[in-house]
């Protein structure tokens, strides 16, 4: 039992650490080598496009940045505690792996919000961003922007004229620009839904039990 706990715990730590390192390397490379909104065509359906957002996956924004950062910190804490408990109760390894991917992705974007505003100057379309002395950056703690770069315009076409509201306008299938952390969250979540519904059902069962 101890060996199982030890191996699954190590695996979770390895996954989280690996994703964080890869995510931050990509983001720092993009931020310090590209101007804001610069786009590099890799293929006709894949671009490296540098943008920044307030921190929700795929650039979505619904709430105040500071409140969003606090909510994300809380969510990360809850997921981390839950993951730790799942390792202790010997949950299936695949469940540990997928949860670790979601946790690491959330942590990756949180690092941007926590520290990028403290260590970088503001990005601009006219110059490449660079490191500055600690605390002399473009935003205070928790207010930094998240770096996105992967853009996959798989289909670029035009809406038919007869389509209400959008007729004649350009249509792009999968237009969001995202980062490696976003991808890990999405892939981890989808895999949880496909392969771990039984594991996830125990959460709702426990919640119902507590209510009863």
């Amino acid at each position: 039992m101890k060996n199982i706990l030890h191996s699954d715990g190590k695996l979770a730590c390895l996954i989280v650490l690996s994703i964080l390192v890869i995510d931050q390397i990509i983001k720092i490379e993009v931020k310090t080598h590209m101007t804001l909104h610069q786009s590099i065509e890799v293929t006709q359906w894949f671009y490296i496009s540098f943008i920044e957002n307030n921190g929700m996956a795929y650039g979505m924004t619904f709430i105040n940045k500071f409140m969003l950062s606090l909510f994300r910190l809380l969510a990360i804490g809850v997921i981390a505690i839950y993951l730790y408990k799942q390792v202790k109760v010997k949950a299936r390894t695949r469940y540990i792996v997928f949860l670790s991917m979601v946790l690491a992705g959330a942590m990756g974007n949180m690092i941007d919000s926590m520290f990028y505003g403290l260590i970088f100057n503001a990005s601009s379309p006219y110059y490449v961003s660079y490191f500055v002395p600690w605390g002399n950056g473009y935003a205070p703690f928790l207010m930094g922007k998240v770096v996105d770069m992967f853009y996959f315009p798989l289909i670029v076409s035009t809406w038919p004229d007869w389509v209400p509201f959008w007729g004649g306008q350009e249509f792009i299938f999968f237009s969001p620009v995202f980062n490696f952390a976003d991808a890990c969250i999405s892939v981890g979540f989808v895999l949880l839904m496909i392969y771990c519904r039984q594991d996830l059902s125990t959460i709702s069962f426990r919640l119902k039990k507590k209510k009863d």
Side-chain angles (χ1 to χ4, degrees), residues 11-12 15 83 92-102 188:
L11 178 60
I15 291 171
L83 176 59
R92 291 191 298 173
T93 299
R94 70 172 68 175
Y95 193 46
I96 301 299
V97 169
F98 302 155
L99 285 173
S100 298
M101 291 175 64
V102 174

Side-chain angles (χ1 to χ4, degrees), residues 182-194:
D182 293 332
C184 290
I185 294 172
S186 299
V187 172
F189 179 78
V190 170
L191 293 175
L192 282 170
M193 294 297 104
I194 295 174

Side-chain angles (χ1 to χ4, degrees), residues 141-177:
F141 184 65
L142 293 179
M143 298 296 286
K145 294 183 178 180
V146 175
V147 175
D148 289 332
M149 74 293 297
F150 298 134
Y151 176 45
F152 288 88
L154 300 178
I155 300 175
V156 180
S157 185
T158 303
W159 287 103
D161 291 334
W162 53 264
V163 176
F165 305 110
W166 298 289
Q169 296 182 23
E170 184 180 56
F171 165 75
I172 301 177
F173 176 73
F174 202 72
S175 59
V177 181

Side-chain angles (χ1 to χ4, degrees), residues 1 9 22 24-25 29 41 49 89 93 96 118 121 129 139-140 142 148 160 181 195 199 211:
M1 176 178 174
I22 293 171
Q24 290 303 309
I25 287 175
E29 280 294 306
E41 181 179 354
S49 299
V89 300
T93 299
I96 301 299
L118 300 173
N121 68 320
S129 185
L142 293 179
D148 289 332
Y195 297 108
D199 307 84
K211 289 180 181 179

Side-chain angles (χ1 to χ4, degrees), residues 45-80:
W45 49 267
F46 173 38
Y47 291 75
I48 303 296
S49 299
F50 175 29
I51 66 169
E52 293 181 318
N53 67 76
N54 282 335
M56 293 192 74
Y58 301 102
M60 295 182 290
T61 302
F62 300 119
I63 59 177
N64 174 270
K65 169 65 179 178
F66 183 73
M67 294 303 297
L68 174 62
S69 294
L70 291 180
F71 173 78
R72 288 164 57 210
L73 276 175
L74 177 62
I76 289 170
V78 170
I79 297 172

